[in-house]
Amino acid sequence: MDPKKILVVDDEETLCEVLKLNLQNEGYEVDIATSAEQALTYDVRSYALILLDIMMGEISGIQMAKILKSEPATASIPIIFCTARDSEDDMVRGLDLGADDYIMKPYTVRNVMARVRSVLRRTARQQDVVMPASDHLLQVEGLHLDMDLKECTVDGKQVKLTKTEYELLAFLMAHRGKIYSRDEIVHRVWGNVIVLERTIDVNITRLRFKIGPYGAYIVTRLGFGYGFSG
């Protein structure tokens, strides 16, 4: 099996080299770029994961993520933001773009390696899931999730969801009538990643808004968690 390719994008060249060395020691194939401009000249589609700094030159990490998420060929590539910016607003902006994880500097290399393994395991698990034929389409009234095309439609109109939003909605719809705790949701949707409760709540709030009238089917049980009642 070919090693998974990872792209590290950070304007601190020394940090890029440290991450590259450690990732290579883990068996990954690694490329580095010291700017978003440089990274976008690469064949980004070939990477299994991108480690992306936010504060860079003319094109920030946030802007680069927007570019990647707007293109079907690169929209599903998992992104981990690595940044010194540690405000909640920055975290939410990253999550809004569909980032899979968010690591604040200063961080330990050991922590980064653990996050990388976790995100790649989750991605592989999702790709390996074989849905029964009857489950290729999840639907509740006018809310449809096409599990093959990874598309969401509301009353016939396509709704753009981030990868995390899509997976969260698919999980809840596939397990209708059951309440899951935040810990269970994190394990099933994010994998073995440390995720703040705020992260889950933000994604739930966005989902309710995006799916319009069907947002009411996403229920909250205070002290227990979330579920789908349709």
Side-chain angles (χ1 to χ4, degrees):
M1 182 182 295
D2 294 333
K4 292 185 181 296
K5 292 181 63 178
I6 295 177
L7 176 60
V8 178
V9 188
D10 197 303
D11 58 3
E12 297 182 49
E13 187 171 355
T14 300
L15 181 56
C16 285
E17 293 293 347
V18 169
L19 289 176
K20 179 178 181 177
L21 177 62
N22 282 273
L23 287 165
Q24 288 177 330
N25 287 340
E26 293 269 333
Y28 303 113
E29 183 178 336
V30 185
D31 291 324
I32 62 176
T34 54
S35 69
E37 292 89 337
Q38 180 185 359
L40 291 171
T41 67
Y42 297 169
D43 181 12
V44 181
R45 297 169 300 176
S46 67
Y47 295 103
L49 174 68
I50 298 173
L51 288 166
L52 181 59
D53 186 29
I54 285 183
M55 294 295 290
M56 292 188 289
E58 292 186 12
I59 300 179
S60 69
I62 291 287
Q63 291 170 313
M64 178 176 168
K66 286 181 179 178
I67 292 170
L68 297 179
K69 295 300 181 181
S70 68
E71 296 292 333
T74 55
S76 64
I77 299 174
I79 293 175
I80 299 178
F81 277 123
C82 300
T83 178
R85 302 185 66 180
D86 58 358
S87 75
E88 185 175 90
D89 287 344
D90 292 322
M91 180 191 74
V92 172
R93 286 180 69 199
L95 295 171
D96 279 341
L97 290 172
D100 290 75
D101 204 351
Y102 191 103
I103 306 175
M104 293 175 288
K105 298 177 182 178
Y107 50 69
T108 65
V109 171
R110 182 180 180 185
N111 183 27
V112 176
M113 297 303 110
R115 301 294 186 98
V116 166
R117 289 192 297 270
S118 180
V119 170
L120 290 175
R121 277 198 305 268
R122 177 167 63 85
T123 303
R125 186 170 63 244
Q126 290 158 356
Q127 292 173 344
D128 290 342
V129 171
V130 178
M131 300 291 292
S134 60
D135 289 339
H136 283 192
L137 177 69
L138 293 174
Q139 73 177 88
V140 174
E141 298 181 12
L143 174 63
H144 293 184
L145 283 187
D146 188 312
M147 305 303 289
D148 292 326
L149 298 178
K150 307 301 181 187
E151 289 181 351
C152 173
T153 56
V154 173
D155 296 331
K157 183 178 180 180
Q158 187 171 340
V159 175
K160 187 175 181 180
L161 301 180
T162 67
K163 185 171 181 286
T164 299
E165 290 167 354
Y166 179 90
E167 291 162 359
L168 176 57
L169 181 58
F171 171 70
L172 293 176
M173 288 182 67
H175 299 86
R176 281 173 269 177
K178 182 174 180 179
I179 299 297
Y180 286 87
S181 69
R182 286 182 173 86
D183 287 343
E184 289 173 317
I185 292 172
V186 167
H187 177 70
R188 298 294 291 272
V189 177
W190 276 268
N192 297 321
V193 173
I194 299 173
V195 175
L196 301 176
E197 288 189 1
R198 169 69 172 162
T199 302
I200 303 170
D201 298 338
V202 166
N203 278 277
I204 290 289
T205 299
R206 288 200 312 260
L207 266 181
R208 283 177 171 147
F209 175 76
K210 288 185 176 182
I211 63 177
Y214 305 104
Y217 285 120
I218 301 177
V219 297
T220 304
R221 293 288 181 263
L222 293 178
F224 294 96
Y226 293 104
F228 199 94
S229 64

